[in-house]
Amino acid sequence: MRKPLFLVVGVLLMASTVLSACAPAATPTAVPQPAQASAPAATTAPQPAAKQDVTLKVMSFLAIDTPDVEKQIIAEFEKENPGIKVQFDAVPFGDFFTKLQTMIAGGTPPDVASLNMENLQSFAALGALADLGPLVQKDNYDLGQYYPATLDMHSYKGKLYGLPASFSTVVLFYNKKLFDEAQVPYPDGTWTWDKMIDAAKKLTKDTNGDGKIDQFGYAKAWWPVYLWLNGADLFNKERTKCTIAEPAAVEGIQKMVDLWLVHKVAPTPADLKTQSDWDMFMAGRLAMYPVGPWGIAPFQKISTFEWDIADHPAGKEKATFLFGNSLTILAASKNQEAAWKYLKFAAGEKGERIRQQGGYEIAPVKKVAESEFLQSLKGKMPAHAEVFLNSTAYARTVPVVPKWNEISAAIDEQLELASLGKKPVKDALTDAAAKVDAILATIK
Amino acid sequence: MDSGLAQFGRATPTHARPARCSPLRLRDAFWGYLFIAPSMLGVLMFTLFPVLAALGISFSEWNLITPPRFVGLEGYRALLSDPVFGKVLLNTLYYTAGSVPLNLILALALALALNQKIRGIAVYRTAYFMPVVSSMVAVGLIWAWLYDTDYGLFNALLARLHLPPVAWLTSTEWAMPAVILTSVWKSVGFNMVIFLAALQDVPEGLYEAARIDGAGAWRLFRHITLPLISPAVFFVVVMGIIGSFQAFDQVYVMTEGGPARATTVIVYYIWQNAFKFFKMGYASAMAYVLFLLVLLATLAQWQVRRRWVFGEM
């Protein structure tokens, strides 16, 4: 008699523990409606009487290591725009997008958010961002002041959703001391892949003779660059088909995998679990390290060796990454006007001049990059800072598409198998391409 | 014997039924419900409502931002053709098959050892219970260092024995056993306490009687201890299976489901779909499939319990 009741209660408890862990934090009814027709109509009524102060919620991961920079931008902005108060929330990059997503779902999004180009595409595709086109047109805002590539990467289906706030190109950082010790000439813009491998072999050493490698020649960058270096790409032009299983792509990824499996000049994923490539470079255990300008400020604090930068060695083609972050306005924001003012300031010439002092990335405003960025590095490492700007000539953006996280997870799984030597590169990439094609087919 | 075993004997439900609707009873009921109202409200709002909402979401496509779109059983159908889901299910079974028996055997062995009258027994019991109250994140981070290929404790011990190093968390073969081992270490203390409690309820008289009849240590354990603590064993197995179907933290902290999805268990994949791939509907459908699996596993155990759990035959 008592047992059936116990069973029912047990099942319910089980259901609740299993499901509540997975149930979304918010309920479907809490979905914010893109603030269009109804919301402004309701809020405009009481405003004209007394011009109330607007509180602008800004959430950003920009210059997270040098928070004073963003604070100074806000202080200057508030000085120029009395009546607008900025409530600033600095969130580290790693937590940023989950937090933003939850805030949107919970109906309390910020007014302005920083976004990197991949997530800008996702959020724009979901309709979470405001189209900046009409605002630009209304003010005749000069987009010509930006590097064109930085505008392209913050557009989705031909519409601009973010004002470029900072950008990066990836270049080859190298430890001069390790090169001197191994008597290898410093890398320069003429280096090829094979020359790099030769040098890396000489720079990879077991210094204490315990059978473990203590010093590595080169650290692998993110995989898409190895497609480009070999003249391949991720998708076809229309981004409807994945092309990573084509011969040139397979060859390119094979070269990447060979860094571990054949040449043994780069730290393996297991090595990187012990110490990241970043920390290895800081500790003087890594000779060549492809990384962006966010490495400058931290690496300038290194006192045990000197370093410099060069173009990433060329494969069949010259290629490297172009990354970028922007400031966006959330579609659900009720303070579109004030948000746009903030964007124009914080991602305009004045804001960029201040942000450049943080040295996190490079200002996308040409005037600022060519003066402040290079100026701020005069007499400091790296001696060849102009490589960052010159490499924009051949740097590329990863062709981002909606559902990028899902696509990248599918490819990563197969690349891990290939890099562990569990699966030939060709088979791994063929399987990955099939999965990616299936995901692409679900994008409308 | 009678008094000691009364709790295991079959209850004889011969309560007289009181009249249903006497005013006094109604008043009692009113106060009773009032007292449980706060916690019931909590259960309704934070448990039952999300559970039902998730059912609704599982029939729709929802990215958290645009309103959900009803797609019927599409999400469930997609699960069948998702090769990753198949792999993830197998991984979950692997994890369960590895962690539940190991946990059971170790917990029982520890309980038997700590049921002796040894000096400082409380210290030992506390020591084994410590991991249970530690945070899984802290445990996972520390164990990730113990497993480190180059500098980890385990490989240092292997080197002492002149054995080659093992890529504990970075090879597809060893990552899952490593995760299982950590999870067992973390939770074995809890089951140990349950067994200890059960062991202390076994009446000493039974052992005495059996010893007089000439039973050795093994027979005492096999024919007295084990049958009498079988309700505890049943509880540990049922809870262990439910818990291992829901494993998440250890995977999230130690391996992020890798390498090459070797340690992606079902809840990790649900989380990935919901919060990385923006697929709430699909994730909810998967959560319901998980719920059904746990339900089936538990019902099956309820069915066979009559065969081996004492007091149920």
Side-chain angles (χ1 to χ4, degrees):
Chain A
M1 222 181 126
R2 258 186 289 152
K3 272 169 201 156
L5 178 67
F6 178 46
L7 188 65
V8 169
V9 172
V11 164
L12 273 177
L13 279 177
M14 235 162 55
S16 60
T17 47
V18 172
L19 298 167
S20 60
C22 317
T27 61
T29 47
V31 176
Q33 299 299 319
Q36 275 157 5
S38 62
T43 48
T44 41
Q47 261 179 355
K51 205 176 172 237
Q52 276 176 339
D53 280 7
V54 178
T55 304
L56 201 61
K57 281 196 282 178
V58 176
M59 186 165 119
S60 152
F61 57 78
L62 296 170
I64 194 84
D65 299 324
T66 44
D68 292 346
V69 171
E70 293 300 314
K71 280 186 200 142
Q72 200 190 330
I73 293 175
I74 289 163
E76 296 285 324
F77 170 75
E78 285 177 340
K79 216 186 289 170
E80 257 187 43
N81 295 276
I84 304 180
K85 278 216 68 67
V86 175
Q87 188 191 324
F88 185 62
D89 190 8
V91 179
F93 189 80
D95 309 327
F96 192 88
F97 305 101
T98 312
K99 179 161 184 185
L100 179 60
Q101 193 185 353
T102 325
M103 286 170 86
I104 293 172
T108 54
D111 298 298
V112 173
S114 64
L115 281 178
N116 63 336
M117 53 182 192
E118 294 101 296
N119 281 290
L120 181 133
Q121 302 282 323
S122 299
F123 281 95
L126 296 174
L129 304 179
D131 174 12
L132 301 184
L135 297 165
V136 169
Q137 213 164 25
K138 197 184 75 189
D139 284 6
N140 236 335
Y141 184 70
D142 176 24
L143 293 177
Q145 58 182 314
Y146 298 101
Y147 286 102
T150 62
L151 289 171
D152 292 346
M153 61 188 170
H154 300 302
S155 301
Y156 173 71
K157 291 198 173 161
K159 287 182 179 165
L160 184 69
Y161 286 96
L163 276 193
S166 66
F167 81 96
S168 304
T169 50
V170 167
V171 300
L172 194 70
F173 282 64
Y174 62 93
N175 179 327
K176 285 170 128 178
K177 190 174 155 199
L178 297 184
F179 272 81
D180 292 342
E181 282 170 6
Q183 295 183 323
V184 178
Y186 298 145
D188 57 40
T190 68
W191 272 37
T192 60
W193 182 259
D194 293 336
K195 195 162 175 187
M196 189 280 284
I197 293 284
D198 277 342
K201 282 181 184 162
K202 287 177 201 148
L203 289 157
T204 302
K205 289 174 184 170
D206 172 11
T207 49
N208 59 6
D210 64 352
K212 291 176 200 157
I213 297 171
D214 303 293
Q215 180 187 315
F216 290 96
Y218 173 83
K220 179 196 80 81
W222 192 28
W223 55 267
V225 75
Y226 301 102
L227 299 176
W228 299 334
L229 288 170
N230 216 48
D233 209 341
L234 284 82
F235 305 112
N236 61 355
K237 247 208 187 96
E238 298 76 30
R239 298 186 188 175
T240 50
K241 219 176 140 30
C242 178
T243 53
I244 56 171
E246 288 179 1
V250 174
E251 196 187 356
I253 295 296
Q254 185 71 52
K255 281 184 182 163
M256 173 187 103
V257 170
D258 286 350
L259 288 169
W260 298 312
L261 298 184
V262 177
H263 308 304
K264 298 188 167 52
V265 294
T268 63
D271 296 322
L272 293 172
K273 205 141 193 159
T274 311
Q275 190 174 32
S276 68
D277 40 12
W278 177 279
D279 291 335
M280 278 188 187
F281 187 80
M282 299 264 281
R285 293 182 61 205
L286 179 58
M288 288 179 276
Y289 182 29
V291 75
W294 56 87
I296 298 175
F299 293 166
Q300 278 172 343
K301 295 188 187 120
I302 298 172
S303 57
T304 47
F305 61 87
E306 287 197 358
W307 54 269
D308 199 357
I309 59 166
D311 294 84
H312 190 277
K316 283 182 191 162
E317 292 178 12
K318 268 180 110 88
T320 192
F321 292 109
L322 177 67
F323 294 121
N325 301 311
S326 64
L327 287 174
T328 63
I329 302 176
L330 275 294
S333 162
K334 296 198 172 78
N335 303 312
Q336 304 272 335
E337 195 85 356
W340 172 239
K341 275 189 186 154
Y342 183 75
L343 251 62
K344 282 190 294 184
F345 185 88
E349 199 185 317
K350 284 182 192 161
E352 292 297 348
R353 276 195 200 283
I354 302 171
R355 186 173 294 110
Q356 191 63 73
Q357 306 308 317
Y360 175 67
E361 284 197 300
I362 305 168
V365 176
K366 287 185 231 166
K367 219 194 282 177
V368 181
E370 281 155 18
S371 58
E372 313 277 297
F373 174 67
L374 293 182
Q375 211 74 52
S376 69
L377 291 171
K378 274 256 165 70
K380 295 183 188 163
M381 290 187 285
H384 293 88
E386 70 281 0
V387 174
F388 281 115
L389 299 184
N390 298 343
S391 59
T392 50
Y394 57 86
R396 305 182 201 185
T397 56
V398 178
V400 279
V401 290
K403 305 209 176 182
W404 171 253
N405 287 343
E406 210 179 334
I407 289 171
S408 135
I411 297 175
D412 282 343
E413 179 190 350
Q414 294 299 322
L415 285 181
E416 280 174 23
L417 286 173
S419 55
L420 287 166
K422 297 259 172 221
K423 203 167 179 180
V425 170
K426 191 176 186 320
D427 297 357
L429 290 179
T430 308
D431 290 353
K435 277 188 193 169
V436 174
D437 282 343
I439 298 168
L440 287 175
T442 65
I443 300 172
K444 283 132 231 163
Chain B
M1 175 157 165
D2 264 334
S3 57
L5 277 183
Q7 53 179 309
F8 295 108
R10 199 182 289 180
T12 43
T14 47
H15 314 295
R17 283 191 184 189
R20 279 240 152 140
C21 292
S22 75
L24 188 70
R25 228 185 125 69
L26 270 177
R27 241 195 22 219
D28 276 358
F30 170 75
W31 286 107
Y33 284 119
L34 194 68
F35 278 126
I36 63 167
S39 43
M40 278 312 285
L41 270 177
V43 169
L44 283 177
M45 266 163 61
F46 297 113
T47 306
L48 221 55
F49 180 69
V51 166
L52 293 176
L55 182 64
I57 296 166
S58 77
F59 295 118
S60 54
E61 210 177 78
W62 187 36
N63 56 32
L64 269 174
I65 290 167
T66 45
R69 193 168 62 86
F70 182 78
V71 292
L73 289 170
E74 196 48 52
Y76 291 90
R77 208 173 300 138
L79 273 178
L80 292 177
S81 56
D82 181 351
V84 180
F85 182 66
K87 188 175 168 84
V88 163
L89 265 188
L90 283 179
N91 284 344
T92 309
L93 290 179
Y94 180 5
Y95 177 84
T96 306
S99 64
V100 175
L102 192 61
N103 210 323
L104 184 77
I105 292 166
L106 278 178
L108 190 52
L110 279 174
L112 287 170
L114 295 184
N115 198 28
Q116 318 290 323
K117 293 189 176 64
I118 322 170
R119 190 188 283 269
I121 190 77
V123 177
Y124 291 111
R125 287 179 185 168
T126 312
Y128 283 107
F129 200 71
M130 282 290 275
V132 179
V133 294
S134 311
S135 121
M136 187 70 229
V137 175
V139 168
L141 287 173
I142 302 261
W143 275 74
W145 274 108
L146 297 179
Y147 285 133
D148 190 274
T149 314
D150 291 331
Y151 301 100
L153 179 70
F154 292 125
N155 280 353
L157 292 176
L158 287 180
R160 282 259 169 109
L161 302 170
H162 301 285
L163 290 169
V166 171
W168 292 103
L169 292 176
T170 45
S171 68
T172 47
E173 297 87 358
W174 284 101
M176 186 59 100
V179 170
I180 290 174
L181 195 60
T182 307
S183 315
V184 169
W185 179 84
K186 165 97 170 74
S187 58
V188 75
F190 181 76
N191 294 333
M192 179 198 75
V193 166
I194 290 174
F195 283 138
L196 264 177
L199 284 173
Q200 284 168 3
D201 272 350
V202 179
E204 190 56 35
L206 286 181
Y207 290 120
E208 263 168 46
R211 259 187 230 113
I212 290 168
D213 287 345
W218 168 248
R219 304 195 87 187
L220 286 181
F221 173 73
R222 174 68 191 82
H223 294 291
I224 296 178
T225 312
L226 209 51
L228 285 185
I229 63 163
S230 56
V233 175
F234 178 68
F235 175 78
V236 165
V237 170
V238 172
M239 295 309 285
I241 290 181
I242 294 176
S244 62
F245 268 84
Q246 297 180 52
F248 174 80
D249 319 24
Q250 51 273 62
V251 169
Y252 179 78
V253 175
M254 294 205 294
T255 62
E256 291 177 39
R261 288 220 178 277
T263 55
T264 305
V265 287
I266 187 162
V267 179
Y268 188 85
Y269 193 49
I270 291 174
W271 169 80
Q272 227 178 6
N273 270 288
F275 294 103
K276 292 280 143 178
F277 304 162
F278 300 95
K279 289 160 82 170
M280 272 295 159
Y282 193 52
S284 297
M286 220 179 303
Y288 262 88
V289 170
L290 169 64
F291 166 61
L292 286 179
L293 287 176
V294 174
L295 179 64
L296 283 178
T298 309
L299 285 179
Q301 291 170 77
W302 272 96
Q303 284 309 309
V304 299
R305 87 190 186 281
R306 291 168 203 280
R307 306 234 181 97
W308 63 277
V309 177
F310 190 77
E312 298 282 358
M313 25 250 140

